[in-house]
């Protein structure tokens, strides 16, 4: 990769990492479910009128919109609102790579290599260390919700592999249209119309800027730049930059929010990032009966791939095919 392209990949990782700090700020202005709904509304409009018609079946758009937009982001924002620290959330969410590999094995018959299985064990050990640290220093409920959010992200990654969207930007925009109404309904039901109206009436420049950042900078710019890089370089060269996301997330949370990083949390970070690297960058074994040869189907079992929202790219062993995304955090 050219130095400029390396810098762009690192910038996207930084944007996605800092996004967790921005979410934390946004939760001071909006209830979590309303905040998530506004994020997807801003990401979908007016872009939905500019990207053309959907290029995959609606069943996949709806399924991923519910799994990723409603479940993953709803749980992530709620978990952070209940006290899960921004830096820790950026780290723990990476366990989605393990969930994706497990779900891909169960649903698609993709057998992970031994190195990937070792990576899963190391990553789960990191989650255990993080759980011990959080159990002694913070609320456990929010931490658990972030882990469940990572599992929902894994479901959406497998669904995205099945959908195989040919145009990542078109896919991302149309998926963003799905969660808006369900999240608004859940917000009215669980957070109450009074709280929602109070947040909207109190909307200021900071609140508006937060929504624009999570919708346009994180999703549209981050996703667009990541897709641009994947069209020019092998996915295996681009996806490892996603491992920088928790680094930027934890460091920016410490810098801007004053979050402390305990020695146990550093141990958890090393285990989780190392485990995700082993899981994500290991070659997968094709499912029994898969066609031999070097065609497109085989390309999906090597290298790594992206996941643009609220988050992060999805490396190979655990994610959509190269160049096929899911939304980031």
């Amino acid at each position: 990769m050219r130095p400029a392209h390396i810098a762009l990949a690192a910038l996207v990782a930084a944007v996605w990492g800092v996004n967790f700090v921005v979410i934390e700020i946004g939760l001071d202005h909006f209830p979590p479910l309303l905040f998530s709904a506004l994020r997807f509304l801003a990401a979908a409009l007016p872009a939905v009128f500019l990207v053309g018609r959907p290029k995959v079946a609606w069943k996949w758009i709806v399924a991923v919109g519910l799994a990723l937009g409603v479940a993953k982001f709803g749980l992530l924002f709620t978990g952070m609102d209940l006290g899960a620290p921004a830096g820790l959330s950026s780290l723990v969410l990476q366990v989605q790579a393990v969930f994706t590999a497990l779900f891909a094995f169960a649903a698609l018959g993709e057998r992970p290599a031994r190195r990937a299985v070792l990576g899963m064990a190391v990553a789960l050990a990191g989650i255990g260390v993080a759980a011990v640290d959080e159990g002694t220093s913070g609320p456990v409920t929010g931490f658990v919700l972030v882990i469940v959010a990572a599992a929902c992200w894994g479901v959406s990654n497998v669904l995205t592999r099945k959908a195989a969207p040919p145009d990542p930007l078109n896919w991302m925009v149309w998926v963003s249209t799905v969660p808006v109404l369900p999240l608004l309904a859940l917000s009215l039901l669980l957070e109450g119309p009074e709280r929602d109206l109070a947040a909207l009436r109190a909307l200021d420049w900071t609140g508006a800027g937060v929504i624009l950042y999570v919708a346009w900078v994180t999703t549209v710019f981050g996703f667009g730049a990541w897709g641009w890089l994947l069209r020019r370089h092998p996915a295996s060269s681009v996806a490892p930059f996603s491992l920088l996301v928790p680094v930027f997330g934890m460091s920016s949370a410490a810098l801007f929010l004053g979050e402390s990083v305990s020695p146990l949390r550093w141990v958890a970070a090393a285990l989780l990032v190392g485990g995700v690297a082993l899981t994500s960058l290991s070659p997968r074994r094709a499912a029994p009966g898969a066609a031999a040869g070097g065609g497109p189907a085989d390309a999906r079992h090597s290298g790594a791939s992206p996941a643009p929202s609220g988050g992060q790219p999805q490396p190979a062993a655990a994610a959509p095919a190269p160049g096929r995304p899911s939304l980031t955090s």
Side-chain angles (χ1 to χ4, degrees), residues 243-264:
L243 299 177
L244 294 174
V245 172
V247 176
F248 284 114
M250 295 177 69
S251 58
S252 61
L255 179 63
F256 296 113
L257 302 178
E259 290 185 4
S260 61
V261 184
S262 67
L264 268 182

Side-chain angles (χ1 to χ4, degrees), residues 191-283:
E191 296 166 343
E194 295 84 3
R195 190 180 175 193
D196 287 352
L197 286 174
L200 293 174
R201 286 170 180 165
L203 181 65
D204 56 14
W205 287 107
T206 301
V210 162
I211 293 173
L212 290 177
Y213 184 93
V214 299
W216 286 90
V217 179
T218 299
T219 303
V220 178
F221 164 73
F223 180 78
W226 197 262
W228 185 87
L229 288 168
L230 283 166
R231 287 193 294 272
R232 287 160 177 78
H233 302 283
S236 57
S237 298
V238 178
F241 284 91
S242 69
L243 299 177
L244 294 174
V245 172
V247 176
F248 284 114
M250 295 177 69
S251 58
S252 61
L255 179 63
F256 296 113
L257 302 178
E259 290 185 4
S260 61
V261 184
S262 67
L264 268 182
R265 193 162 296 179
W266 282 119
V267 172
L271 289 171
L272 188 52
V273 172
V276 168
L278 285 172
T279 302
S280 300
L281 304 180
S282 298

